[in-house]
Amino acid sequence: MNKKLEWHLLALHPNELNFNEENLAEIKIGGRHLCIARFHEKLFACAAKCPHAAAPLAGGYVNVQGDIVCPVHRYKFNLETGRNTTGEGYFLKTYPVEEREDGWYVGIERDNWFGF
C-alpha cells in the first residue's frame, strides 16, 4: 500500500530553522512534533521523542555515523530509516524531507488514508 503524504514547507532555507549547537531543532508542523537534524548538509525529520522513554531527541546529538542519539539512555537511531542501531529493538518514526526550488519540505502521512 502506498502511503499518502501531505507535503509541508519546512523552511525556505535551513538557516531559518532554530538549530541548537548539535544541529537539532524541534518544531511543530502538520499537527506533529518533529525533530529536524542537519547532517552533512542534508536535513532529516523524525519523531520529536525517543520511542523508548519519550525523551526529547533535540536534547541529544547526531554521531559520526549519522545516528541520532537519545540524551537519556543513549539509544541510537538511523536518521534515514529509523532503525535502532544499538540493538534494543525500538523503531523511530522518520519522515521524508525534500529540497525543492522554493524551499525544504517534509512529507507527513495523512491521518485518513482513505481520502475521506
Side-chain angles (χ1 to χ4, degrees), residues 1-5 109-115:
M1 170 180 20
N2 290 335
K3 296 177 183 178
K4 300 290 183 183
L5 297 177
E109 294 174 29
R110 293 182 188 170
D111 287 330
N112 186 342
W113 62 270
F114 290 107

mmCIF file with all atom_site columns, all heavy atoms in Angstrom, residues 1-5 109-115:
data_model
loop_
_atom_site.group_PDB
_atom_site.id
_atom_site.type_symbol
_atom_site.label_atom_id
_atom_site.label_alt_id
_atom_site.label_comp_id
_atom_site.label_asym_id
_atom_site.label_entity_id
_atom_site.label_seq_id
_atom_site.pdbx_PDB_ins_code
_atom_site.Cartn_x
_atom_site.Cartn_y
_atom_site.Cartn_z
_atom_site.occupancy
_atom_site.B_iso_or_equiv
_atom_site.pdbx_formal_charge
_atom_site.auth_seq_id
_atom_site.auth_comp_id
_atom_site.auth_asym_id
_atom_site.auth_atom_id
_atom_site.pdbx_PDB_model_num
ATOM 1   N N   . MET A 1 1   ? 0.836   -1.173 0.000  1.00 0.00 ? 1   MET A N   1
ATOM 2   C CA  . MET A 1 1   ? 0.000   0.000  0.000  1.00 0.00 ? 1   MET A CA  1
ATOM 3   C C   . MET A 1 1   ? 0.886   1.243  0.000  1.00 0.00 ? 1   MET A C   1
ATOM 4   O O   . MET A 1 1   ? 1.803   1.362  0.791  1.00 0.00 ? 1   MET A O   1
ATOM 5   C CB  . MET A 1 1   ? -0.876  -0.033 1.259  1.00 0.00 ? 1   MET A CB  1
ATOM 6   C CG  . MET A 1 1   ? -1.607  1.232  1.480  1.00 0.00 ? 1   MET A CG  1
ATOM 7   S SD  . MET A 1 1   ? -2.672  1.316  2.944  1.00 0.00 ? 1   MET A SD  1
ATOM 8   C CE  . MET A 1 1   ? -2.101  0.070  4.025  1.00 0.00 ? 1   MET A CE  1
ATOM 9   N N   . ASN A 1 2   ? 0.617   2.169  -0.905 1.00 0.00 ? 2   ASN A N   1
ATOM 10  C CA  . ASN A 1 2   ? 1.347   3.428  -0.955 1.00 0.00 ? 2   ASN A CA  1
ATOM 11  C C   . ASN A 1 2   ? 0.831   4.364  0.110  1.00 0.00 ? 2   ASN A C   1
ATOM 12  O O   . ASN A 1 2   ? -0.368  4.533  0.276  1.00 0.00 ? 2   ASN A O   1
ATOM 13  C CB  . ASN A 1 2   ? 1.204   4.084  -2.326 1.00 0.00 ? 2   ASN A CB  1
ATOM 14  C CG  . ASN A 1 2   ? 1.943   3.331  -3.405 1.00 0.00 ? 2   ASN A CG  1
ATOM 15  O OD1 . ASN A 1 2   ? 2.900   2.626  -3.115 1.00 0.00 ? 2   ASN A OD1 1
ATOM 16  N ND2 . ASN A 1 2   ? 1.500   3.475  -4.632 1.00 0.00 ? 2   ASN A ND2 1
ATOM 17  N N   . LYS A 1 3   ? 1.741   4.994  0.809  1.00 0.00 ? 3   LYS A N   1
ATOM 18  C CA  . LYS A 1 3   ? 1.360   5.962  1.820  1.00 0.00 ? 3   LYS A CA  1
ATOM 19  C C   . LYS A 1 3   ? 1.050   7.280  1.147  1.00 0.00 ? 3   LYS A C   1
ATOM 20  O O   . LYS A 1 3   ? 1.772   7.714  0.262  1.00 0.00 ? 3   LYS A O   1
ATOM 21  C CB  . LYS A 1 3   ? 2.486   6.146  2.836  1.00 0.00 ? 3   LYS A CB  1
ATOM 22  C CG  . LYS A 1 3   ? 2.789   4.901  3.618  1.00 0.00 ? 3   LYS A CG  1
ATOM 23  C CD  . LYS A 1 3   ? 3.949   5.142  4.554  1.00 0.00 ? 3   LYS A CD  1
ATOM 24  C CE  . LYS A 1 3   ? 4.294   3.867  5.288  1.00 0.00 ? 3   LYS A CE  1
ATOM 25  N NZ  . LYS A 1 3   ? 5.438   4.036  6.157  1.00 0.00 ? 3   LYS A NZ  1
ATOM 26  N N   . LYS A 1 4   ? -0.022  7.910  1.561  1.00 0.00 ? 4   LYS A N   1
ATOM 27  C CA  . LYS A 1 4   ? -0.390  9.219  1.042  1.00 0.00 ? 4   LYS A CA  1
ATOM 28  C C   . LYS A 1 4   ? 0.261   10.265 1.929  1.00 0.00 ? 4   LYS A C   1
ATOM 29  O O   . LYS A 1 4   ? 0.041   10.298 3.139  1.00 0.00 ? 4   LYS A O   1
ATOM 30  C CB  . LYS A 1 4   ? -1.904  9.403  1.047  1.00 0.00 ? 4   LYS A CB  1
ATOM 31  C CG  . LYS A 1 4   ? -2.640  8.383  0.218  1.00 0.00 ? 4   LYS A CG  1
ATOM 32  C CD  . LYS A 1 4   ? -2.393  8.611  -1.249 1.00 0.00 ? 4   LYS A CD  1
ATOM 33  C CE  . LYS A 1 4   ? -3.205  7.625  -2.063 1.00 0.00 ? 4   LYS A CE  1
ATOM 34  N NZ  . LYS A 1 4   ? -2.976  7.735  -3.463 1.00 0.00 ? 4   LYS A NZ  1
ATOM 35  N N   . LEU A 1 5   ? 1.092   11.093 1.321  1.00 0.00 ? 5   LEU A N   1
ATOM 36  C CA  . LEU A 1 5   ? 1.809   12.118 2.067  1.00 0.00 ? 5   LEU A CA  1
ATOM 37  C C   . LEU A 1 5   ? 1.256   13.492 1.757  1.00 0.00 ? 5   LEU A C   1
ATOM 38  O O   . LEU A 1 5   ? 0.879   13.779 0.619  1.00 0.00 ? 5   LEU A O   1
ATOM 39  C CB  . LEU A 1 5   ? 3.299   12.105 1.721  1.00 0.00 ? 5   LEU A CB  1
ATOM 40  C CG  . LEU A 1 5   ? 4.087   10.848 2.063  1.00 0.00 ? 5   LEU A CG  1
ATOM 41  C CD1 . LEU A 1 5   ? 5.526   10.991 1.572  1.00 0.00 ? 5   LEU A CD1 1
ATOM 42  C CD2 . LEU A 1 5   ? 4.063   10.589 3.550  1.00 0.00 ? 5   LEU A CD2 1
ATOM 43  N N   . GLU A 1 109 ? 2.370   11.633 6.681  1.00 0.00 ? 109 GLU A N   1
ATOM 44  C CA  . GLU A 1 109 ? 1.278   10.755 6.278  1.00 0.00 ? 109 GLU A CA  1
ATOM 45  C C   . GLU A 1 109 ? -0.056  11.357 6.676  1.00 0.00 ? 109 GLU A C   1
ATOM 46  O O   . GLU A 1 109 ? -0.191  11.914 7.766  1.00 0.00 ? 109 GLU A O   1
ATOM 47  C CB  . GLU A 1 109 ? 1.416   9.382  6.950  1.00 0.00 ? 109 GLU A CB  1
ATOM 48  C CG  . GLU A 1 109 ? 2.610   8.612  6.508  1.00 0.00 ? 109 GLU A CG  1
ATOM 49  C CD  . GLU A 1 109 ? 2.786   7.330  7.300  1.00 0.00 ? 109 GLU A CD  1
ATOM 50  O OE1 . GLU A 1 109 ? 1.773   6.768  7.771  1.00 0.00 ? 109 GLU A OE1 1
ATOM 51  O OE2 . GLU A 1 109 ? 3.925   6.894  7.445  1.00 0.00 ? 109 GLU A OE2 1
ATOM 52  N N   . ARG A 1 110 ? -0.993  11.225 5.790  1.00 0.00 ? 110 ARG A N   1
ATOM 53  C CA  . ARG A 1 110 ? -2.352  11.676 6.098  1.00 0.00 ? 110 ARG A CA  1
ATOM 54  C C   . ARG A 1 110 ? -2.925  10.765 7.172  1.00 0.00 ? 110 ARG A C   1
ATOM 55  O O   . ARG A 1 110 ? -2.684  9.557  7.178  1.00 0.00 ? 110 ARG A O   1
ATOM 56  C CB  . ARG A 1 110 ? -3.239  11.607 4.873  1.00 0.00 ? 110 ARG A CB  1
ATOM 57  C CG  . ARG A 1 110 ? -2.843  12.580 3.801  1.00 0.00 ? 110 ARG A CG  1
ATOM 58  C CD  . ARG A 1 110 ? -3.796  12.471 2.659  1.00 0.00 ? 110 ARG A CD  1
ATOM 59  N NE  . ARG A 1 110 ? -3.307  13.277 1.546  1.00 0.00 ? 110 ARG A NE  1
ATOM 60  C CZ  . ARG A 1 110 ? -3.818  13.233 0.341  1.00 0.00 ? 110 ARG A CZ  1
ATOM 61  N NH1 . ARG A 1 110 ? -4.801  12.425 0.067  1.00 0.00 ? 110 ARG A NH1 1
ATOM 62  N NH2 . ARG A 1 110 ? -3.314  13.989 -0.605 1.00 0.00 ? 110 ARG A NH2 1
ATOM 63  N N   . ASP A 1 111 ? -3.709  11.345 8.064  1.00 0.00 ? 111 ASP A N   1
ATOM 64  C CA  . ASP A 1 111 ? -4.321  10.550 9.131  1.00 0.00 ? 111 ASP A CA  1
ATOM 65  C C   . ASP A 1 111 ? -5.338  9.556  8.568  1.00 0.00 ? 111 ASP A C   1
ATOM 66  O O   . ASP A 1 111 ? -5.476  8.465  9.070  1.00 0.00 ? 111 ASP A O   1
ATOM 67  C CB  . ASP A 1 111 ? -4.995  11.454 10.164 1.00 0.00 ? 111 ASP A CB  1
ATOM 68  C CG  . ASP A 1 111 ? -3.968  12.169 11.030 1.00 0.00 ? 111 ASP A CG  1
ATOM 69  O OD1 . ASP A 1 111 ? -2.888  11.614 11.246 1.00 0.00 ? 111 ASP A OD1 1
ATOM 70  O OD2 . ASP A 1 111 ? -4.275  13.281 11.487 1.00 0.00 ? 111 ASP A OD2 1
ATOM 71  N N   . ASN A 1 112 ? -6.040  9.951  7.538  1.00 0.00 ? 112 ASN A N   1
ATOM 72  C CA  . ASN A 1 112 ? -7.050  9.076  6.955  1.00 0.00 ? 112 ASN A CA  1
ATOM 73  C C   . ASN A 1 112 ? -6.634  8.726  5.534  1.00 0.00 ? 112 ASN A C   1
ATOM 74  O O   . ASN A 1 112 ? -6.831  9.492  4.613  1.00 0.00 ? 112 ASN A O   1
ATOM 75  C CB  . ASN A 1 112 ? -8.415  9.778  6.965  1.00 0.00 ? 112 ASN A CB  1
ATOM 76  C CG  . ASN A 1 112 ? -9.522  8.855  6.494  1.00 0.00 ? 112 ASN A CG  1
ATOM 77  O OD1 . ASN A 1 112 ? -9.273  7.842  5.861  1.00 0.00 ? 112 ASN A OD1 1
ATOM 78  N ND2 . ASN A 1 112 ? -10.750 9.224  6.796  1.00 0.00 ? 112 ASN A ND2 1
ATOM 79  N N   . TRP A 1 113 ? -6.058  7.557  5.332  1.00 0.00 ? 113 TRP A N   1
ATOM 80  C CA  . TRP A 1 113 ? -5.550  7.178  4.008  1.00 0.00 ? 113 TRP A CA  1
ATOM 81  C C   . TRP A 1 113 ? -6.634  6.836  3.014  1.00 0.00 ? 113 TRP A C   1
ATOM 82  O O   . TRP A 1 113 ? -6.365  6.654  1.845  1.00 0.00 ? 113 TRP A O   1
ATOM 83  C CB  . TRP A 1 113 ? -4.513  6.070  4.123  1.00 0.00 ? 113 TRP A CB  1
ATOM 84  C CG  . TRP A 1 113 ? -5.009  4.794  4.705  1.00 0.00 ? 113 TRP A CG  1
ATOM 85  C CD1 . TRP A 1 113 ? -5.012  4.460  6.021  1.00 0.00 ? 113 TRP A CD1 1
ATOM 86  C CD2 . TRP A 1 113 ? -5.551  3.680  4.021  1.00 0.00 ? 113 TRP A CD2 1
ATOM 87  N NE1 . TRP A 1 113 ? -5.544  3.209  6.192  1.00 0.00 ? 113 TRP A NE1 1
ATOM 88  C CE2 . TRP A 1 113 ? -5.859  2.697  4.982  1.00 0.00 ? 113 TRP A CE2 1
ATOM 89  C CE3 . TRP A 1 113 ? -5.796  3.402  2.680  1.00 0.00 ? 113 TRP A CE3 1
ATOM 90  C CZ2 . TRP A 1 113 ? -6.446  1.487  4.642  1.00 0.00 ? 113 TRP A CZ2 1
ATOM 91  C CZ3 . TRP A 1 113 ? -6.360  2.166  2.351  1.00 0.00 ? 113 TRP A CZ3 1
ATOM 92  C CH2 . TRP A 1 113 ? -6.674  1.231  3.331  1.00 0.00 ? 113 TRP A CH2 1
ATOM 93  N N   . PHE A 1 114 ? -7.902  6.768  3.467  1.00 0.00 ? 114 PHE A N   1
ATOM 94  C CA  . PHE A 1 114 ? -8.983  6.508  2.541  1.00 0.00 ? 114 PHE A CA  1
ATOM 95  C C   . PHE A 1 114 ? -9.349  7.760  1.753  1.00 0.00 ? 114 PHE A C   1
ATOM 96  O O   . PHE A 1 114 ? -10.043 7.705  0.759  1.00 0.00 ? 114 PHE A O   1
ATOM 97  C CB  . PHE A 1 114 ? -10.253 6.025  3.285  1.00 0.00 ? 114 PHE A CB  1
ATOM 98  C CG  . PHE A 1 114 ? -10.093 4.639  3.861  1.00 0.00 ? 114 PHE A CG  1
ATOM 99  C CD1 . PHE A 1 114 ? -9.945  4.466  5.214  1.00 0.00 ? 114 PHE A CD1 1
ATOM 100 C CD2 . PHE A 1 114 ? -10.093 3.539  3.036  1.00 0.00 ? 114 PHE A CD2 1
ATOM 101 C CE1 . PHE A 1 114 ? -9.803  3.203  5.746  1.00 0.00 ? 114 PHE A CE1 1
ATOM 102 C CE2 . PHE A 1 114 ? -9.948  2.272  3.559  1.00 0.00 ? 114 PHE A CE2 1
ATOM 103 C CZ  . PHE A 1 114 ? -9.799  2.107  4.909  1.00 0.00 ? 114 PHE A CZ  1
ATOM 104 N N   . GLY A 1 115 ? -8.874  8.927  2.211  1.00 0.00 ? 115 GLY A N   1
ATOM 105 C CA  . GLY A 1 115 ? -9.127  10.165 1.499  1.00 0.00 ? 115 GLY A CA  1
ATOM 106 C C   . GLY A 1 115 ? -10.431 10.829 1.873  1.00 0.00 ? 115 GLY A C   1
ATOM 107 O O   . GLY A 1 115 ? -10.888 11.734 1.194  1.00 0.00 ? 115 GLY A O   1
#
